[in-house]
């Protein structure tokens, strides 16, 4: 009995392990092992990719930070909304995920270009000064990436906000706390683990949105993901691509491990 | 004379009604809270007790009627009244340690960090739960969480504390000790306390006054002794304790707070009973006789009503006898331990003192 139950739990894990090792870790490992035989080459690839890696991390950190406040606002509003409104809101949050990334990029080009929506509105509303030039600046990439990751972050936060006991809010009110204190200490305090998860998820997703800065900003914001693509598709330099992919993997996994450690600490309460 | 003098009150509900959707949850409730008093609010489930507490705390607005002074949650009124409410599920913040939970009302009043930490620790120590300061609420038992929540409420310096079922999550053997602890805290804080509970026996010992709420309306307010001895309705009588309630007809109204009734269930005997409100001759009423006021004797004793024992139950220091009268009516008694030897079918005699019999409207 026990053996079959254990077997039932182990089998899916084993399949997953084989899938991960066979599909990702094994080829990466083989290429890296080949490169390890040439340590100078390994060091050279890491050195050449360091600037792009730094840009990737910085961009992901900034975009996730910018997307977090609107994600909190959306999640909190959906929590308090009626059921039908919440369903529509969740559907709208899922929409950017199912859209092809190139479509999203094209849409933002239409919005931000010289004759685009922003500039047209600026002119129509007779706002002072010239319309801002956003396309092909860092702001364009940040805006579009935040647009993609914000709904995911909101969906992660939604469940946690829904688990806030309304009595807790009322208790804080009865104890004399002002609305901002209630929001920050009681609500955000309660959903803090989900905030960390949402932020890390936003950060990790940003690492993989390498096409957005490339098309909406330009080569001065090339990220590590784009270099991997170039090495695989154009240069066929699989060794360099493997090193860069491993760097990306480490950049993504480290914050996840940190978040898991924090989550474990919270659960031990 | 004394009844004409309006008692001083800290908060007053004047003909307050409250609706939730199409349902009228509270109907024309008039109730005052007096300084430093212990008011027990009892009634069956769904009577509107929690809603009444929420109105008193200012969390709900009445559909009609007035709450004086107007209460704004978390704020002190112009009269200096601040209301604290302890929810049934406590509303502790699970992500904060006990000390931070308790210090929260101080933080809300912008008390400096060191001062609020010191005061929170002192309050926990004074309440005998200083050891919990660094723990999270999730690691405490139900009773421990209750204590933390009460200490936190008291640190908000309320003039009135409303407690919604504070004993609900406690093991029965802990309720008495918890009530003592609560009373000790209350007397030191000198606050008016309103307690909603289903534990009628406990609240009768604890409260200065009781208010019984039925179907959103106050059925009766008074001291526990008054309500127990002179209930206004049969419901109040049976809610506060076991009672024999039998139908009767008034045959003589003396006008001095008593009536003479004919009781068909007691073989048509005439029984003198006290009344809270005047009753006319010929009016139908119900007589309330507490089981402990019925005296059981051996069969054939003069002046008593002959009954047959229908059941004997062991109730610790007493025996519960279920008796059947000659007309088939049932009577319950709390007899002495000697009556445990009575057997089913045995004939006994029952008597009751007139001063302990009370007539209520049907």
């Amino acid at each position: 009995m026990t053996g079959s139950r254990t077997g039932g739990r182990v089998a899916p894990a084993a399949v997953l392990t084989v899938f991960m090792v066979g599909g990702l870790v094994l080829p990466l490992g083989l290429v890296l092992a080949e490169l390890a035989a040439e340590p100078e080459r390994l060091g050279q690839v890491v050195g050449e990719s360091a600037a792009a890696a730094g840009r990737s991390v910085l961009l992901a950190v900034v975009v996730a930070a910018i997307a977090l406040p609107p994600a909190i606002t959306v999640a909190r509003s959906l929590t308090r909304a009626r059921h039908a409104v919440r369903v529509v809101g969740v559907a709208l949050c899922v929409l950017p995920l199912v859209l092809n990334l190139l479509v999203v990029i094209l849409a933002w080009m239409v919005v931000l270009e010289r004759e685009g929506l922003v500039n047209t509105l600026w002119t129509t509303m007779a706002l002072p000064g010239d319309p801002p030039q956003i396309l092909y600046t860092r702001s364009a990439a940040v805006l579009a990436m935040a647009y993609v990751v914000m709904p995911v972050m909101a969906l992660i936060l939604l469940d946690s906000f829904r688990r806030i006991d309304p009595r807790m809010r009322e208790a804080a009110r009865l104890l004399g706390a002002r609305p901002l204190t209630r929001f920050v200490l009681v609500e955000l305090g309660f959903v803090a683990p989900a905030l960390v998860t949402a932020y890390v998820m936003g950060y990790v997703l940003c690492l993989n949105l390498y096409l957005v800065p490339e098309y909406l900003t330009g080569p001065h914001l090339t990220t590590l993901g784009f270099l991997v693509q170039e090495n695989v598709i154009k240069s066929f330099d699989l060794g360099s691509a493997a090193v860069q992919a491993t760097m990306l993997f480490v950049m993504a996994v480290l914050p996840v491990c940190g978040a898991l450690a924090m989550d474990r600490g919270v659960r031990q309460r | 004379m004394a009844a004409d003098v309006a008692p001083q009150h800290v908060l007053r509900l004047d003909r307050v009604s409250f609706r939730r959707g199409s349902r009228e949850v509270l109907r024309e409730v008039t109730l005052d809270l007096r300084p430093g008093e212990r008011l027990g609010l009892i009634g069956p489930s769904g009577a509107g007790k929690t809603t009444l507490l929420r109105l008193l705390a200012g969390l709900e607005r009445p559909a009609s009627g007035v709450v004086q002074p107007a209460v704004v949650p978390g704020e002190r009124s112009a009269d200096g009244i601040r209301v604290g409410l302890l929810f049934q599920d406590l509303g502790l913040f699970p992500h904060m340690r006990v000390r931070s939970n308790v210090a929260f009302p101080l933080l809300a009043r912008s008390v400096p960090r060191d001062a609020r930490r010191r005061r929170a620790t002192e309050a926990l120590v004074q309440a005998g739960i200083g050891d919990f300061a660094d723990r999270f609420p999730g690691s405490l038992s139900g009773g421990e969480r209750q204590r933390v929540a009460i200490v936190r409420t008291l640190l908000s310096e309320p003039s009135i504390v409303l407690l919604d079922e504070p004993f609900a999550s406690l093991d029965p053997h802990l309720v008495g000790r918890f009530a003592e602890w609560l009373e000790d805290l209350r007397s030191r804080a000198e606050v008016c306390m309103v307690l909603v509970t289903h534990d009628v026996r406990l609240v009768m010992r604890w409260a200065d006054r009781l208010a019984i709420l039925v179907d959103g309306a106050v059925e009766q307010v008074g001291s526990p002794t008054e309500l127990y001895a002179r209930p206004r309705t049969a419901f109040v009588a049976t809610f506060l304790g076991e009672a024999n309630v039998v139908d009767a007809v008034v045959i003589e109204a003396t006008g001095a707070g008593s009536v003479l009734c004919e009781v068909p269930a007691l073989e048509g005997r005439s029984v003198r009973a006290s009344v809270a409100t005047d009753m006319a001759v010929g009016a139908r009423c119900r007589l309330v006789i507490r089981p402990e006021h019925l005296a059981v004797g051996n069969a054939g004793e003069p002046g008593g009503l002959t009954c047959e024992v229908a059941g004997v139950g062991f109730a610790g220091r007493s025996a519960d006898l279920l008796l059947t009268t000659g007309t088939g009516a049932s009577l319950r008694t709390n007899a002495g331990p000697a009556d445990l030897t009575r057997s089913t079918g045995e004939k006994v005699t029952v008597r009751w003192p007139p001063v302990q019999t009370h007539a209520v409207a049907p």
Side-chain angles (χ1 to χ4, degrees):
Chain A
M1 248 331 240
T2 313
S4 68
R5 274 187 199 164
T6 312
R9 284 198 296 268
V10 168
V15 170
L16 187 68
T17 307
V18 169
F19 180 74
M20 291 295 286
V21 171
L24 180 68
V25 179
L26 199 60
L28 265 179
L30 287 172
V31 178
L32 282 175
E34 204 168 304
L35 268 176
E38 306 173 72
E40 316 82 49
R41 172 97 179 99
L42 185 66
Q44 188 190 348
V45 174
V46 171
E48 284 170 1
S49 311
R55 278 194 298 272
S56 302
V57 170
L58 188 64
L59 193 60
V61 165
V62 169
V63 169
I66 286 174
L68 191 58
I72 291 170
T73 310
V74 169
R76 193 164 177 265
S77 306
L78 289 179
T79 304
R80 295 181 164 204
R82 280 183 297 177
H83 179 71
V85 177
R86 192 159 56 240
V87 169
V88 173
V90 169
L92 288 174
C93 282
V94 173
L95 197 62
L97 298 176
V98 294
L99 281 178
N100 185 293
L101 192 59
L102 290 172
V103 174
V104 174
I105 291 169
L106 191 66
W108 276 97
M109 281 180 163
V110 170
V111 170
L112 299 176
E113 68 184 353
R114 189 166 291 278
E115 303 299 321
L117 192 64
V118 171
N119 287 9
T120 308
L121 275 173
W122 189 281
T123 314
T124 310
M125 292 167 75
L127 293 172
D130 292 331
Q133 176 59 49
I134 300 175
L135 193 60
Y136 305 122
T137 66
R138 287 186 178 85
S139 303
V142 170
L143 271 175
M145 288 168 83
Y147 166 80
V148 175
V149 300
M150 188 279 284
V152 181
M153 295 164 80
L155 288 177
I156 291 168
L157 291 172
L158 180 62
D159 179 57
S160 288
F161 271 104
R162 290 194 71 190
R163 279 192 283 116
I164 294 179
D165 183 353
R167 294 276 184 275
M168 233 163 62
R169 289 193 187 102
E170 288 184 337
R173 190 176 167 208
L174 284 162
L175 293 169
R178 284 187 288 266
L180 184 65
T181 312
R182 296 203 294 266
F183 172 64
V184 173
L185 292 183
V186 178
E187 294 193 38
L188 289 188
F190 183 81
V191 302
L195 287 177
V196 174
T197 307
Y199 182 84
V200 169
M201 185 57 82
Y203 165 87
V204 171
L205 283 176
C206 285
L207 288 181
N208 208 31
L209 293 176
Y210 52 86
L211 287 180
V212 179
E214 206 60 34
Y215 286 108
L216 293 181
T217 302
H220 58 286
L221 199 60
T222 292
T223 55
L224 196 57
F226 190 76
L227 294 186
V228 175
Q229 179 187 279
E230 292 291 281
N231 279 325
V232 170
I233 294 174
K234 288 192 177 165
S235 319
F236 301 108
D237 182 357
L238 293 183
S240 297
V243 173
Q244 289 161 340
T246 308
M247 287 169 73
L248 256 180
F249 181 72
V250 171
M251 283 153 52
V253 162
L254 280 181
V256 172
C257 292
L260 285 173
M262 282 173 71
D263 185 55
R264 196 176 169 199
V266 170
R267 281 176 202 280
Q268 279 172 350
R269 290 173 188 177
Chain B
M1 279 288 280
D4 295 337
V5 178
Q8 191 192 359
H9 58 259
V10 283
L11 196 67
R12 181 176 168 77
L13 298 180
D14 191 9
R15 299 173 60 119
V16 162
S17 297
F18 181 81
R19 302 185 73 85
R20 187 165 285 126
S22 59
R23 196 168 91 88
E24 193 165 36
V25 183
L26 293 174
R27 293 181 286 125
E28 304 246 321
V29 171
T30 297
L31 187 69
D32 55 22
L33 305 182
R34 299 169 187 171
E37 81 164 338
R38 296 166 294 185
L39 178 74
L41 189 58
I42 53 177
S45 297
K49 303 184 292 292
T50 298
T51 305
L52 185 55
L53 288 193
R54 292 177 64 80
L55 271 163
L56 287 169
L59 290 173
E60 307 282 4
R61 293 273 154 239
S64 63
V66 183
V67 181
Q68 289 177 315
V71 176
V72 178
E75 290 181 21
R76 204 169 282 284
S77 73
D79 311 47
I81 302 298
R82 184 201 281 266
V83 180
L85 168 60
L86 193 71
F87 296 104
Q88 192 172 346
D89 47 10
L90 306 177
L92 286 175
F93 310 134
H95 53 287
M96 293 184 195
R97 291 179 195 277
V98 165
R99 186 186 285 107
S100 302
N101 260 285
V102 168
F104 190 83
L106 304 174
L107 184 147
R109 295 206 302 273
S110 306
V111 173
R113 183 189 160 89
D114 288 346
R116 66 173 185 260
R117 190 180 165 83
R118 180 176 42 78
R119 285 180 60 186
T121 307
E122 279 172 9
L124 286 167
V125 170
Q126 273 177 16
I129 49 176
D131 295 345
F132 304 155
D134 292 319
R135 289 168 65 180
F136 285 94
S139 69
L140 303 179
S141 71
E144 290 164 349
R145 279 201 292 270
Q146 289 276 12
R147 288 170 190 237
V148 171
I150 288 172
V151 172
R152 184 178 75 170
T153 303
L154 290 177
L155 266 184
S156 69
E157 296 177 0
S159 4
I160 302 166
V161 177
L162 313 172
L163 304 164
D164 193 1
E165 295 281 4
F167 311 123
S169 62
L170 299 181
D171 289 338
H173 70 281
L174 294 176
V175 169
R177 268 196 283 166
F178 182 79
E180 281 171 23
W181 176 86
L182 185 65
E183 177 51 23
D184 181 48
L185 227 56
R186 189 202 68 83
S187 57
R188 275 191 275 154
E190 294 179 342
V191 293
C192 165
M193 230 174 225
V194 180
L195 173 68
V196 164
T197 180
H198 279 100
D199 193 335
V200 174
R201 288 176 65 179
L202 185 135
V203 80
M204 283 180 73
R205 284 201 300 271
W206 175 83
D208 300 314
R209 284 194 309 149
L210 287 178
I212 300 188
L213 206 61
V214 183
D215 288 335
V218 175
E219 189 98 341
Q220 194 171 357
V221 185
S223 69
T225 329
E226 183 188 340
L227 264 60
Y228 189 77
R230 297 171 69 82
R232 199 170 289 161
T233 63
F235 177 84
V236 173
T238 51
F239 196 77
L240 292 181
E242 273 196 300
N244 296 294
V245 182
V246 289
D247 292 330
V249 177
V250 178
I251 55 172
E252 185 187 314
T254 60
S258 75
V259 288
L260 190 65
C261 300
E262 186 183 84
V263 191
L266 304 181
E267 298 173 359
R269 289 184 181 220
S270 299
V271 175
R272 188 160 293 282
S274 59
V275 286
T277 51
D278 288 341
M279 288 184 181
V281 173
R284 297 173 67 82
C285 65
R286 305 188 85 187
L287 289 193
V288 176
I289 312 165
R290 296 283 177 197
E292 65 270 24
H293 294 146
L294 287 175
V296 179
N298 291 327
E301 285 184 8
L305 177 73
T306 301
C307 297
E308 186 179 300
V309 177
V312 183
F314 174 63
R317 282 180 293 178
S318 64
D320 285 346
L321 293 187
L322 180 63
L323 308 174
T324 309
T325 66
T327 55
S330 293
L331 293 176
R332 283 189 178 278
T333 74
N334 294 137
D339 286 309
L340 272 171
T341 55
R342 304 267 183 207
S343 53
T344 306
E346 185 181 338
K347 298 287 183 191
V348 292
T349 304
V350 169
R351 281 190 299 272
W352 54 91
V355 288
Q356 305 287 16
T357 307
H358 189 67
V360 297

